[in-house]
Amino acid sequence: MALGRPISLTNNVASKIIRLLATNNQTVFTVPGGYRINQIGVFRNGVRLSNNSDFTALDGSTVTLVNAAQTNDEVLFEIQDDFRVADAIVSAASTQTISGDLTVTGNVYGAVVGVNSGGISIGEAKTLNFIGSGNTFAQNGDTIDISISGGSGGGGLGTAINYSDDTPTPFSYIDSHVTVTSNLLIDTENAGLTTSYVVSVVPNVEVASGVALTVGTGKTMIIDILQIGDL
């Protein structure tokens, strides 16, 4: 076991070397970037100088030699410091701020999303799962476009009519006429994987000139199923 004061090191402590050439009779040297007091070593032409006996370093910025240097003497400063990478993620830190973009390769664990309904929190989740035939998802680059058809009010048909305070009334509305403007194939890709009815609550459906509306195998097209047009 070594005698005297034990050596204690920390993971983040490192050193940097700064070399300066002296002018004739120079005694005061400004250290670029500064230093921590009592954490600096000074060498003159390769010979280590003794703190207080050969130099003083008391302000964190300058070092003063007791004996003046001569022209082109090499004065070397070995600075011990805590050199941290800016914006690095620090283990076990409670709050951290990272400026700029963060790219993660792999999985991120522990993150949750708060879910609100009508401005009221209903819980937290790691996955949002939209169910029901009215939900359509389409990947658009890095974005997932979500389309939810239908609306509240009027038995779920049409678009809801709200009160002035934006709360729903028992009524909804539908347009009396709609036009199919581009080719549309109704099949298992967009209308259910099994036999299903394809329903339009709009009583008048027009197919534009030059456009094809095709009802695929196992699909049945029903127009005005509730006979709204006869009301």
Side-chain angles (χ1 to χ4, degrees):
M1 177 181 294
L3 300 178
R5 182 179 180 182
I7 298 175
S8 177
L9 299 177
T10 61
N11 293 332
N12 290 321
V13 171
S15 64
K16 65 179 179 180
I17 303 297
I18 297 176
R19 291 180 174 87
L20 299 177
L21 292 179
T23 59
N24 191 40
N25 292 324
Q26 183 176 356
T27 57
V28 179
F29 295 82
T30 299
V31 180
Y35 59 88
R36 293 197 300 182
I37 297 174
N38 296 326
Q39 300 295 323
I40 184 173
V42 181
F43 297 78
R44 177 178 175 181
N45 295 327
V47 178
R48 186 181 182 96
L49 304 182
S50 174
N51 193 5
N52 293 325
S53 297
D54 298 320
F55 72 91
T56 56
L58 302 176
D59 60 5
S61 177
T62 61
V63 172
T64 302
L65 301 183
V66 173
N67 297 314
Q70 303 304 309
T71 302
N72 290 331
D73 277 355
E74 182 185 67
V75 181
L76 182 147
F77 303 101
E78 182 181 38
I79 301 171
Q80 306 293 329
D81 208 341
D82 185 359
F83 302 106
R84 297 179 182 268
V85 178
D87 293 332
I89 297 177
V90 182
S91 176
S94 59
T95 302
Q96 300 182 56
T97 300
I98 298 178
S99 301
D101 298 333
L102 174 64
T103 300
V104 177
T105 302
N107 298 322
V108 177
Y109 298 96
V112 296
V113 176
V115 181
N116 286 9
S117 177
I120 300 175
S121 175
I122 62 174
E124 296 179 340
K126 292 185 178 180
T127 302
L128 299 179
N129 181 32
F130 291 83
I131 61 175
S133 59
N135 301 303
T136 302
F137 294 82
Q139 185 167 358
N140 183 12
D142 293 334
T143 301
I144 301 296
D145 295 326
I146 303 175
S147 300
I148 302 177
S149 62
S152 59
L157 298 177
T159 302
I161 299 174
N162 293 335
Y163 291 109
S164 59
D165 62 357
D166 209 31
T167 58
T169 71
F171 304 102
S172 64
Y173 70 90
I174 61 172
D175 293 323
S176 62
H177 182 273
V178 67
T179 301
V180 180
T181 58
S182 61
N183 293 336
L184 177 62
L185 171 61
I186 299 176
D187 59 6
T188 55
E189 292 293 326
N190 54 26
L193 298 178
T194 60
T195 300
S196 62
Y197 294 101
V198 179
V199 180
S200 172
V201 296
V202 179
N204 299 303
V205 177
E206 177 185 354
V207 180
S209 176
V211 172
L213 172 61
T214 305
V215 180
T217 303
K219 308 303 173 186
T220 302
M221 174 72 77
I222 301 175
I223 303 296
D224 195 15
I225 187 174
L226 298 181
Q227 298 182 349
I228 295 176
D230 294 335
L231 293 180

